[in-house]
Amino acid sequence: MAVVYHHPYDVALMNISTLLLIFAGISIYVAVYHFFLYSRDHSQRKHIWFAIFCFSIAMYDIFTSALYAARSTTEGVLWQRCQLLSISITGISILLFAVTFTRRRNIILEGVFILNWVLQAFLQMFSQSELLWSRREAVKYIRLFESHLITYYE
């Protein structure tokens, strides 16, 4: 049997990634619960928007976990783009949840925010412009508790 040595950096990342995946699992559980509430009573649209919100938070946690596990900037950029997409979905779903929950509608304001998030998601996913994405590699080193060095590829 071989003994596997884990560098403190790897252990710290595994702990953070595991915690994020636990949070994602909890969010998915809550999303499924609210989806079933909506499937039983379609008149309560707040449940479907809250389910989508929880699912988008779970996606963000999963993408963040993958970003922390990235070993190069090329990998990191992919996961950052996925994070930004999930942020747009989160924004739209929390807005529509709040509107449905409070029963206060402002079509123009809702439309402006939704259009903003859709455009942001589209630009961030498909644009190669330096206005949105730096061509420079940004590698950050974070020292955690003076014993763990975390390298963050951005």
Side-chain angles (χ1 to χ4, degrees):
M1 178 190 285
V3 176
V4 177
Y5 171 74
H6 290 286
H7 190 275
Y9 162 77
D10 293 330
V11 173
L13 278 181
M14 285 188 300
N15 291 340
I16 293 170
S17 293
T18 302
L19 189 60
L20 286 167
L21 293 175
I22 290 169
F23 290 156
I26 293 168
S27 296
I28 289 170
Y29 175 80
V30 174
V32 168
Y33 174 75
H34 280 275
F35 178 75
F36 282 124
L37 287 176
Y38 175 73
S39 69
R40 291 179 53 201
D41 183 5
H42 289 285
S43 68
Q44 297 292 319
R45 296 185 66 213
K46 63 186 173 192
H47 292 298
I48 193 68
W49 291 120
F50 192 72
I52 294 169
F53 169 70
C54 290
F55 184 69
S56 66
I57 292 295
M59 286 185 349
Y60 183 82
D61 288 341
I62 291 167
F63 297 148
T64 301
S65 178
L67 176 62
Y68 289 163
R71 298 290 182 187
S72 69
T73 52
T74 305
E75 261 185 82
V77 167
L78 168 70
W79 294 116
Q80 274 192 318
R81 286 179 184 250
C82 292
Q83 277 183 316
L84 293 171
L85 177 63
S86 69
I87 289 171
S88 293
I89 295 169
T90 301
I92 292 169
S93 61
I94 196 69
L95 171 69
L96 293 174
F97 167 72
V99 165
T100 306
F101 188 76
T102 61
R103 295 185 185 124
R104 296 192 179 257
R105 300 228 44 189
N106 184 333
I107 302 294
I108 295 171
L109 197 55
E110 289 171 42
V112 167
F113 278 106
I114 290 171
L115 181 63
N116 173 45
W117 281 312
V118 168
L119 287 174
Q120 280 184 28
F122 182 78
L123 287 173
Q124 291 163 350
M125 290 303 291
F126 301 110
S127 175
Q128 299 297 323
S129 169
E130 285 194 36
L131 181 62
L132 298 175
W133 298 100
S134 174
R135 301 258 185 251
R136 234 175 341 123
E137 290 187 2
V139 179
K140 296 179 179 148
Y141 301 97
I142 301 165
R143 184 160 300 282
L144 185 65
F145 304 121
E146 295 299 320
S147 60
H148 299 299
L149 179 66
I150 296 175
T151 306
Y152 181 73
Y153 295 99
E154 189 175 86

